Amino acid sequence: MKSTSRIAIFASGSGSNAQRIAEYFSGSSSVEISAVYCNKPEAYVMERARSLGIPSVLFDRDTFYNQTVILDDLKSRGVDWIVLAGFLWLVPVYILKAFPQRIVNIHPALLPGYGGRGMFGMKVHQAVIEAGEEQSGITIHYVNEQYDKGDILFQSKCKLSREDTAETLAAKIHELEYEHFPVVIGKLVSEGVNS
Ligand code: GAR
């Protein structure tokens, strides 16, 4: 049995979830964060990876969709799981096939509501506020070839008040993400190791 599970984190933005996940597993002997993969040179997650001492891999659209460099890199690092933490591109089929039921995403709303193409970050929170919802939450799900459509693994809710704005909702959602995402990943990975 493999003793260490290796996780690759894909992120496009600030990377606060990536940092939280890396810190959560930093003392772990069974889970290792192999690298952060990012499609935006200016994304703050690159800086976070540097500070955390985690290798980072930057790629562009052509590399991701038309070459196998990223898959080769994942394989060379012995990656077992891919975690999307604020990553905004569809994962190409050749990567999905190489990691069946081994790629998970976090979405900042209660899917199937407020998901799909173009629904990310603050846009999600604005839509939820504009619709006058009384609750929102987070969804952790497997990734397939469609945006936000893979099987749901976990959801957690928060209540909204009339005073909430997209910004205050974003803060509530981030708190839920920080609390639950690393724990759900830890459970999945340990179940995967034992199955
Ligand atoms: C998170 O809230 C995540 O759920 C969301 O982007 C944010 C990234 O924050 N993801 C999506 O909207 C995907 N559709 P972070 O960069 O600070 O972790």
Side-chain angles (χ1 to χ4, degrees), residues 11-18 45 48 85-88 105-109 116 119-122 124-125 138 147-148 170 173-174 177-178:
S12 305
S14 162
S16 67
N17 275 287
V45 70
R48 291 190 200 258
F87 182 67
L88 304 183
N105 178 48
I106 191 157
H107 187 76
M119 271 298 196
F120 57 87
M122 292 306 286
V124 177
H125 306 313
I138 61 168
Y147 281 108
D148 306 323
I173 292 295
H174 265 130
E177 293 182 331
Y178 303 155

Side-chain angles (χ1 to χ4, degrees), residues 70-88:
I70 296 301
L71 183 55
D72 296 344
D73 193 88
L74 289 163
K75 283 184 182 162
S76 75
R77 293 178 199 274
V79 167
D80 304 291
W81 288 84
I82 296 177
V83 168
L84 311 187
F87 182 67
L88 304 183

Side-chain angles (χ1 to χ4, degrees), residues 18-96:
Q19 178 167 349
R20 173 80 184 105
I21 294 162
E23 286 170 351
Y24 181 84
F25 290 113
S26 63
S28 169
S29 55
S30 57
V31 177
E32 184 186 293
I33 307 302
S34 299
V36 167
Y37 292 78
C38 178
N39 60 317
K40 277 198 179 167
E42 72 280 15
Y44 189 59
V45 70
M46 295 295 288
E47 181 56 40
R48 291 190 200 258
R50 255 189 299 278
S51 308
L52 289 160
I54 299 171
S56 58
V57 178
L58 197 57
F59 56 89
D60 60 17
R61 194 170 276 279
D62 181 62
T63 310
F64 197 43
Y65 289 106
N66 302 322
Q67 301 178 33
T68 59
V69 178
I70 296 301
L71 183 55
D72 296 344
D73 193 88
L74 289 163
K75 283 184 182 162
S76 75
R77 293 178 199 274
V79 167
D80 304 291
W81 288 84
I82 296 177
V83 168
L84 311 187
F87 182 67
L88 304 183
W89 286 356
L90 268 186
V91 176
V93 172
Y94 73 90
I95 294 183
L96 293 175

Side-chain angles (χ1 to χ4, degrees), residues 175-191:
E175 283 310 311
L176 283 181
E177 293 182 331
Y178 303 155
E179 181 184 349
H180 296 291
F181 201 16
V183 177
V184 172
I185 293 166
K187 280 193 189 144
L188 267 179
V189 166
S190 69
E191 284 163 14

